[in-house]
Amino acid sequence: MADPNACPFAATFELIRGKWTYCILVLLAERTRGFNELLRLNPELTPKVLAQRLRELEENGIVSRRVVPTRPPSSEYGLSALGHELLPLMFSIERWGRDYLSARQQPAMPA
């Protein structure tokens, strides 16, 4: 993660900026999921990228991982308390982005 003394805004966006991060967090907001389930729900996502994103999110305290004692062992991922706190911000940014894109598609008003 970025320098803890850096701009709080930049530090926040550093956490959520990666491609697929939003999709992963939204799916984990619904419930705990396994690695393969996350892949299945995002067919364009590669195992390498998913593993990288989950590792980054876990290292930053946004996602928690639990090893399930099955044969072979598997892992389940869920949002941490910090991850749940992040959701309203993400949904607000998404809403703003949707409104922004919609407004940009409207023809300009004559001056």
Side-chain angles (χ1 to χ4, degrees):
M1 188 173 139
D3 176 1
N5 297 317
C7 169
F9 183 82
T12 302
F13 273 93
E14 180 69 21
L15 288 173
I16 61 175
R17 71 176 170 80
K19 186 174 181 181
W20 298 107
T21 300
Y22 179 81
C23 295
I24 293 166
L25 294 178
V26 167
L27 288 171
L28 294 179
E30 296 171 357
R31 64 181 176 81
T32 301
R33 296 181 188 272
F35 187 88
N36 289 329
E37 183 180 6
L38 289 167
L39 278 178
R40 195 170 47 256
L41 293 168
N42 292 288
E44 296 176 25
L45 180 57
T46 66
K48 179 182 176 183
V49 171
L50 177 58
Q52 180 182 351
R53 291 291 173 261
L54 288 170
R55 192 175 318 107
E56 290 168 357
L57 292 166
E58 184 181 6
E59 287 171 0
N60 288 307
I62 305 300
V63 166
S64 59
R65 179 174 68 102
R66 182 176 76 90
V67 176
V68 181
T70 57
R71 290 201 187 262
S74 61
S75 295
E76 290 184 342
Y77 298 88
L79 290 184
S80 66
L82 196 57
H84 281 286
E85 289 180 29
L86 186 58
L87 288 175
L89 171 65
M90 290 176 34
F91 293 147
S92 180
I93 292 169
E94 178 192 26
R95 191 170 36 258
W96 186 91
R98 193 178 323 110
D99 293 346
Y100 172 77
L101 292 173
S102 177
R104 299 270 303 172
Q105 293 175 354
Q106 303 297 324
M109 298 290 287

